[in-house]
Amino acid sequence: GTHGAGNNWARGHYTEGVEFIDQVMDVARKEVEGCDCMQGFQMCHSLGGGTGSGMGTLLFAKLREEYPDRMLVSFPVFPTPKVSDVIVEPYNATLAIHQLTEYADEVFVFDNEALYNICRRTLKRKQPTFKDLNSLVSAVMGGITGSLRFPGQLNADLRKLGTNLIPFPRLHFFTLGFAPLIRSDAKMYQKACLPALAPAPRVDV
């Protein structure tokens, strides 16, 4: 479209999103047809604006209706007051969380303020850019989905991942942790091997 949802969840979910959802579902169907063994869908979106929260949750509802036996995984960025520039972001997030509780199978929560704090304090970025934030998010997503791409015994697919992590169906919002946190321009100077990350405890005799 030529314009967004105006930072309004209802507009993205019921007005603007409804106009484009059929086109989006056609793209999703084409991707599904090209899969040999589809496990489910993964979506990255922001819950502060109208499009990510409104149309994003509408897309989840449509995918659940059309593919009820497939896993729906969400990677949402939650808004926070310190880095917010829109006063209605908490309302958009609250309405979107209700939809994610109903339709998503797994929700890996990214906190916008935490991403900025990590970039400033740990990665020593005075003015974090979207590239810095996105590289951090992509690294965490790569860690989460590593068991899907490499052979192993534990968490071999999205369904097993949910089975091991979800105690009750509606309690599927996960808090994330990641290590090591290394700046992209400092990787050649820092070691990421196990002894460097977890040195052996010192024993005094």
Side-chain angles (χ1 to χ4, degrees), residues 165-188:
L165 292 176
I166 301 171
F168 299 100
R170 294 170 67 90
L171 300 179
H172 54 251
F173 290 79
F174 306 131
T175 303
L176 302 174
F178 184 77
L181 293 168
I182 301 175
R183 284 175 55 154
S184 57
D185 55 355
K187 287 182 179 178
M188 63 180 68

Side-chain angles (χ1 to χ4, degrees), residues 65-195:
E65 181 181 331
E66 191 154 335
Y67 304 97
D69 58 336
R70 299 303 173 194
M71 298 292 287
L72 299 182
V73 182
S74 172
F75 294 90
V77 178
F78 278 64
T80 53
K82 289 187 179 179
V83 292
S84 172
D85 57 352
V86 180
I87 197 170
V88 295
E89 283 187 359
Y91 300 100
N92 294 335
T94 302
L95 293 166
I97 288 170
H98 173 69
Q99 299 289 322
L100 291 176
T101 304
E102 294 295 329
Y103 297 114
D105 293 302
E106 301 166 13
V107 180
F108 295 92
V109 176
F110 289 97
D111 180 15
N112 210 8
E113 186 176 344
L115 293 174
Y116 272 92
N117 288 339
I118 289 171
C119 286
R120 288 196 185 101
R121 298 174 186 171
T122 306
L123 303 181
K124 307 302 181 186
R125 299 286 189 187
K126 292 183 179 179
Q127 294 293 332
T129 63
F130 285 119
K131 182 180 179 181
D132 297 324
L133 301 172
N134 289 337
S135 65
L136 188 57
V137 170
S138 63
V140 175
M141 288 182 64
I144 293 169
T145 59
S147 61
L148 312 178
R149 293 175 282 113
F150 301 103
Q153 295 295 322
L154 188 63
N155 300 338
D157 55 43
L158 291 174
R159 197 169 300 279
K160 286 183 181 177
L161 189 68
T163 301
N164 292 330
L165 292 176
I166 301 171
F168 299 100
R170 294 170 67 90
L171 300 179
H172 54 251
F173 290 79
F174 306 131
T175 303
L176 302 174
F178 184 77
L181 293 168
I182 301 175
R183 284 175 55 154
S184 57
D185 55 355
K187 287 182 179 178
M188 63 180 68
Y189 308 108
Q190 289 183 276
K191 290 184 178 180
C193 58
L194 185 60

Side-chain angles (χ1 to χ4, degrees), residues 6-106:
N7 293 312
N8 189 307
W9 179 88
R11 189 173 174 184
H13 196 84
Y14 293 112
T15 308
E16 303 291 342
V18 173
E19 296 179 11
F20 299 104
I21 195 64
D22 290 334
Q23 299 176 32
V24 177
M25 289 299 295
D26 287 340
V27 173
R29 290 187 196 99
K30 290 179 182 177
E31 292 295 326
V32 171
E33 289 171 3
C35 295
D36 295 327
C37 181
M38 187 190 71
Q39 294 184 25
F41 299 89
Q42 299 182 50
M43 185 168 69
C44 302
H45 56 125
S46 169
L47 298 189
T51 305
S53 64
M55 187 175 176
T57 52
L58 175 63
L59 178 57
F60 265 110
K62 294 293 184 181
L63 289 172
R64 173 61 70 209
E65 181 181 331
E66 191 154 335
Y67 304 97
D69 58 336
R70 299 303 173 194
M71 298 292 287
L72 299 182
V73 182
S74 172
F75 294 90
V77 178
F78 278 64
T80 53
K82 289 187 179 179
V83 292
S84 172
D85 57 352
V86 180
I87 197 170
V88 295
E89 283 187 359
Y91 300 100
N92 294 335
T94 302
L95 293 166
I97 288 170
H98 173 69
Q99 299 289 322
L100 291 176
T101 304
E102 294 295 329
Y103 297 114
D105 293 302
E106 301 166 13

